[in-house]
Amino acid sequence: MTYEPLDESLINSDVCIRCGHCCKWTTTTQITNDKGIEWLDVMIGTNPKAKMLKHNKRSIEKPTGGVMRDASPFEIQFTCPQLVTNDEDHKLCSIYKDRPRICSDYNCFESSNINKRRPQQWEKIKGIIKEVHGIDVEYKGPMQKNPGSQIKAELEMIGVKEIN
């Protein structure tokens, strides 16, 4: 299948303020024990822009051999501390005029075209583009997995699910 680039001009400020996804980041799935989960609860619990996504406990084989019983898989989701939401549920940068260059230069369709991979939150972005521009966009490239989702996919295959 030939990759057909997405129209980067569709990603403008009207689309971005309805999404805000690029101002968030979720770690790959990690595994710890109860003490690690308790420590992370304390550390993350004090940060209103971070949360822990917990999964059901399970036993796992350690790479060095043996089994870790009652392991707790989790991810941590961080949101930029400068991201605010207004009364219309628009996502706004509280330091917009002075935001870092990496933020002002970012375009999720450009990133998608470079990586030849569908943008994260595709269905949400597609809906926002329909709302803002009145057009339906289609992704016509090959479907590729996000490299960071491989561990989570492996855990989901064995029945681990979010409990939080």
Side-chain angles (χ1 to χ4, degrees):
M1 176 181 259
T2 305
Y3 183 78
E4 190 173 314
L6 295 166
D7 181 355
E8 297 170 17
S9 71
L10 294 173
I11 302 301
N12 60 20
S13 61
D14 287 336
V15 170
C16 292
I17 65 171
R18 288 168 173 80
C19 181
H21 181 71
C22 61
C23 301
K24 298 175 185 169
W25 178 69
T26 303
T27 65
T28 57
T29 302
Q30 308 293 314
I31 306 227
T32 190
N33 57 25
D34 285 339
K35 288 182 181 182
I37 288 290
E38 182 180 357
W39 179 79
L40 287 162
D41 272 336
V42 170
M43 298 298 287
I44 295 166
T46 61
N47 182 344
K49 296 285 188 165
K51 67 180 179 178
M52 184 168 22
L53 308 172
K54 299 175 189 173
H55 301 276
N56 292 333
K57 289 183 180 184
R58 64 178 291 269
S59 296
I60 61 159
E61 292 182 35
K62 297 179 187 177
T64 55
V67 174
M68 180 179 186
R69 302 205 184 287
D70 293 327
S72 298
F74 68 94
E75 289 107 25
I76 300 172
Q77 186 177 77
F78 295 97
T79 300
C80 177
Q82 308 307 326
L83 184 66
V84 295
T85 304
N86 69 10
D87 293 339
E88 297 172 332
D89 202 33
H90 291 170
K91 313 314 184 248
L92 306 171
C93 178
S94 62
I95 58 167
Y96 186 81
K97 291 181 181 176
D98 297 317
R99 68 194 188 280
R101 184 173 174 186
I102 189 126
C103 300
S104 61
D105 288 352
Y106 186 73
N107 178 309
C108 62
F109 277 18
E110 177 184 16
S111 178
S112 175
N113 290 336
I114 290 168
N115 295 311
K116 293 185 173 42
R117 191 173 74 218
R118 190 171 79 173
Q120 290 184 3
Q121 298 291 313
W122 171 248
E123 292 302 322
K124 181 178 183 177
I125 294 167
K126 189 171 134 174
I128 293 169
I129 288 173
K130 174 76 172 176
E131 179 185 324
V132 171
H133 298 293
I135 61 171
D136 291 313
V137 291
E138 294 298 324
Y139 179 81
K140 296 180 181 174
M143 294 299 291
Q144 296 181 32
K145 285 188 174 186
N146 178 342
S149 68
Q150 293 171 4
I151 293 174
K152 186 173 181 179
E154 173 103 3
L155 290 171
E156 288 171 347
M157 286 188 342
I158 57 170
V160 176
K161 63 180 181 178
E162 289 186 12
I163 57 175
N164 217 13

